[in-house]
Amino acid sequence: MNKPKILLTRAWPEKALAYLEAHYDVTLKDGASLSKSVLIAAMQDYDALCPTLTDKLDADILSTPNARVRMIANFGAGFEHIDLKAAKAAGIAVSNTPGALTEATAEIALLLMLMTSRRASEAERGLRSGQWDGWKPTQFLGQSLKGKTLGLVGFGRIAQSTAQKAKAALGVEIAYYSRRQAAAETEAEFGARYVPSLEQLAAESDVLSLHTPGGPDTKHLINAALLKAMKPTAIIINTARGSVVNEADLAAALKNGVIAAAGLDVYEQEPKIHLDLMGLENAVLLPHLGSATIETRTDMGLRAAYNLDRFFAGEDLLDRIA
Ligand code: DGY
């Protein structure tokens, strides 16, 4: 029997790619993002697509006439780049890779908390530019996080892992806001206190860390009004999706001392970064590194591959989202 034809829009880590190549007829199109016309042609040529968050699969693409694609195995957890409604309407199954990147993303949230609170990027830039002229008692003073309140926006897997790591490593108190309050046992497990509104959480937090999905429901949750409710010493961390933050409002708040600092791993228009953020010493800017460990990216690839296996064996998907 012929192996199913699979299109990968990006190269995967070696072990995951080797697994796919052993089981499928794989075409790899690594390079610039695929254009709409290439993706439409791919819909007619392949049995399955394996996109990533940089491939926008909209209704026009997903409703391609005479499509051969029956399955989309997304390499990644976030799926706002795929029109799930259109996929469902076209009878295309879609999976993602949720649990695989929890720990790695929580690590980046902690990294950003430390980099912002201890002004690490700014200090290193100073050193590399030859401006460091020796130790001084008042130089590059940051703030300690011990005993401070870490407010989590959203309380899913990544938020919970961030809570656990931050509590153990930094000694912070955990508060959270999400649409639904977690069960009492879950709150007890993470020592987390529910705060019933985002505004209240923002006002109480020393560090506000975002862990909501992207999409219309969460667009610009963090805006000028919310930033104004925060403490002037507060730090905001975003490892979730760029669309959750109004970057122009955030840049203005950082510039005018409305809040103290921001640690960002995701952006509204990736890979473009808002120009006002680029010039700010109190913004730590990472290039979407959340899941970027060899272990995690391998697990993400294997998880996507196992979803394909299930689909082509006629079994239930591990992580069906459509
Ligand atoms: C995802 O999988 O959606 C992440 O943003 C990748 O790091």
Side-chain angles (χ1 to χ4, degrees), residues 53 75-78 97 101 105 240-241 266 288-292 297 300:
L53 59 92
F75 182 101
T97 64
L101 41 79
T105 309
R241 277 294 180 264
V266 287
H288 206 143
L289 292 183
S291 60
R297 292 278 166 84
M300 288 164 75

Side-chain angles (χ1 to χ4, degrees), residues 74-189:
N74 184 53
F75 182 101
F79 48 80
E80 56 289 327
H81 54 291
I82 305 173
D83 185 332
L84 294 184
K85 225 166 128 191
K88 265 190 207 159
I92 299 170
V94 186
S95 65
N96 67 342
T97 64
L101 41 79
T102 305
E103 299 304 316
T105 309
E107 283 172 10
I108 289 291
L110 255 73
L111 175 69
L112 286 169
M113 284 175 211
L114 285 168
M115 288 179 77
T116 46
S117 63
R118 300 302 296 273
R119 300 171 59 183
S121 294
E122 179 189 353
E124 192 193 2
R125 272 193 298 273
L127 177 149
R128 284 180 187 270
S129 66
Q131 284 165 18
W132 188 47
D133 56 359
W135 189 92
K136 290 182 198 130
T138 56
Q139 191 178 48
F140 288 127
L141 298 187
Q143 36 173 329
S144 170
L145 294 180
K146 191 167 167 51
K148 302 277 173 72
T149 298
L150 168 60
L152 302 165
V153 182
F155 201 51
R157 279 183 253 231
I158 298 174
Q160 291 178 0
S161 175
T162 302
Q164 194 178 44
K165 290 180 185 1
K167 207 175 167 67
L170 307 174
V172 292
E173 303 290 330
I174 307 294
Y176 76 99
Y177 164 76
S178 73
R179 276 186 298 185
R180 262 177 300 134
Q181 183 169 3
E185 311 83 75
T186 310
E187 290 186 344
E189 184 184 343

Side-chain angles (χ1 to χ4, degrees), residues 2 23 71 81 164 212 214 221 233 236 297:
N2 287 341
H23 295 82
M71 162 80 184
H81 54 291
Q164 194 178 44
T212 59
L221 272 187
T233 48
I236 197 155
R297 292 278 166 84

